[in-house]
Amino acid sequence: MPSLKDLRNRISSVKATQKITKAMQMVAAAKLRRAQSAAEAARPYAERMESVLANLASGVTAGGPALLAGNGNDDTHLLIVATAERGLCGAFNSSIVRLAREHIARLQDQGKTVKILCVGKKGYEQLRRQYERNIIELIELRGVKQIGFDNADEIGKKIIRMFEEGGFDVATLFFSRFKSVIAQIPTAQQIIPAQIPSNENASAVEGPQPCYEYEPGQDEILSTLLPRNISVQVFRALLENAASEQGARMSAMDNATRNAGEMIRKQTTLYNRSRQAMITKELIEIISGAEAL
């Protein structure tokens, strides 16, 4: 059984840890409000762009832009795995990596070539243990205090440049979509060739769709919107990740604070019992010595 000093040190250590986890929970809660607002504000723009692209794509004949129709091959896949730069956020990072690993295993079983572009240090650290040879680059955003469109646009241009140079045939983006503080949904979204919802599906959900006439032609507009759509989808993924990370961290730190409180209670009970046993033992020794005299 540990001594009273050991128990006191253990209780003090857990209390110090509890203060840290409580502070981290409060910081995550404050950051979550801003991150959630940014993610929710980005959704309508990204969804509206998909709607416009779907309308444009319906009128494009065979041989459209490569970003929309692909290059005709399906041999090399690029996986953009977006995770956090820091840990202590529960299963947020591991859930995204797990989805990416399942996708990699499925592609490799089909004989496909897989390349991985990591956005975020934590995903890179987990994937390199098994797929270090497949990782082509790590993009760190540790020094970025607030994610901006410029950060996503830089990543989007890098992806498009690799596609134009023949570096891959299909690109899939992995991130975690924010639903609530306790629910973040790992998501895989194919961005090259663009997976655009058909007008038939949109009509079934939203009702009859208006018919637009575009000036200049549809091909010219698509040549501008498709590269921008890549950056917009990356930007949306980064914002969703930022909100999901803070929500997961808030939940994880809340659980850690509760567990620390439970541990303090148990250790305090053990300390009081040990102290009472020592006092009782000393009293018995004093009484026995007095009786012996």
Side-chain angles (χ1 to χ4, degrees):
M1 181 179 292
S3 64
L4 293 180
K5 183 178 179 180
D6 293 336
L7 290 173
R8 284 196 300 267
N9 291 338
R10 189 177 301 174
I11 293 172
S12 298
S13 176
V14 176
K15 285 183 177 180
T17 303
Q18 186 184 39
K19 291 180 180 179
I20 295 173
T21 57
K22 184 64 176 178
M24 292 183 67
Q25 177 189 353
M26 296 175 65
V27 171
K31 290 183 177 180
L32 175 62
R33 298 187 188 95
R34 297 193 298 269
Q36 182 177 355
S37 299
E40 292 175 349
R43 289 173 184 172
Y45 183 83
E47 292 170 356
R48 188 59 180 171
M49 176 167 281
E50 288 182 348
S51 176
V52 172
L53 288 174
N55 193 290
L56 285 167
S58 62
V60 175
T61 58
L67 291 176
L68 178 63
N71 57 10
N73 297 320
D74 187 24
D75 298 327
T76 305
H77 288 249
L78 175 67
L79 276 57
I80 304 102
V81 183
T83 55
E85 297 287 349
R86 298 173 178 83
L88 296 177
C89 49
F92 166 71
N93 293 310
S94 59
S95 60
I96 299 174
V97 173
R98 186 184 307 113
L99 181 63
R101 281 176 174 160
E102 293 174 356
H103 196 77
I104 293 170
R106 185 163 58 251
L107 290 174
Q108 289 181 340
D109 289 342
Q110 297 172 3
K112 309 294 184 182
T113 301
V114 178
K115 297 181 180 180
I116 304 173
L117 174 63
C118 294
V119 181
K121 184 178 179 182
K122 289 302 176 180
Y124 170 76
E125 290 177 347
Q126 295 187 38
L127 286 172
R128 70 175 180 179
R129 302 169 189 168
Q130 188 175 358
Y131 303 106
E132 185 172 6
R133 294 183 178 180
N134 301 88
I135 298 176
I136 59 175
E137 188 176 352
L138 165 64
I139 299 176
E140 292 193 42
L141 301 174
R142 181 180 293 271
V144 180
K145 294 183 179 180
Q146 186 172 359
I147 298 296
F149 183 75
D150 292 340
N151 306 113
D153 192 40
E154 183 179 350
I155 298 173
K157 289 179 179 177
K158 186 186 295 292
I159 295 171
I160 294 173
R161 185 166 58 251
M162 291 175 58
F163 179 70
E164 292 174 346
E165 294 173 353
F168 63 90
D169 303 318
V170 179
T172 306
L173 178 62
F174 292 84
F175 63 97
S176 184
R177 184 167 60 87
F178 178 80
K179 184 176 182 180
S180 66
V181 175
I182 59 174
Q184 300 85 35
I185 305 173
T187 305
Q189 179 184 1
Q190 182 177 309
I191 56 177
I192 299 178
Q195 282 191 332
I196 299 174
S198 63
N199 286 332
E200 290 78 5
N201 295 336
S203 300
V205 177
E206 302 176 2
Q209 299 296 305
C211 181
Y212 297 101
E213 291 185 1
Y214 295 94
E215 181 66 30
Q218 294 176 341
D219 292 339
E220 289 84 353
I221 297 176
L222 282 173
S223 64
T224 302
L225 284 186
L226 285 171
R228 185 172 181 83
N229 181 58
I230 301 297
S231 299
V232 168
Q233 298 305 326
V234 172
F235 183 48
R236 178 188 181 183
L238 294 179
L239 292 179
E240 294 281 353
N241 262 6
S244 298
E245 177 189 356
Q246 299 304 330
R249 179 171 289 113
M250 180 180 172
S251 179
M253 291 301 102
D254 179 59
N255 291 334
T257 302
R258 294 175 184 271
N259 292 338
E262 181 67 18
M263 186 177 295
I264 290 171
R265 186 186 66 78
K266 291 182 179 180
Q267 293 297 322
T268 301
T269 301
L270 180 60
Y271 172 80
N272 291 335
R273 288 177 178 175
S274 299
R275 183 169 176 269
Q276 186 64 41
M278 291 184 64
I279 293 173
T280 302
K281 181 180 178 181
E282 291 175 356
L283 287 175
I284 292 176
E285 290 177 351
I286 292 173
I287 293 171
S288 300
E291 290 179 351
L293 294 175

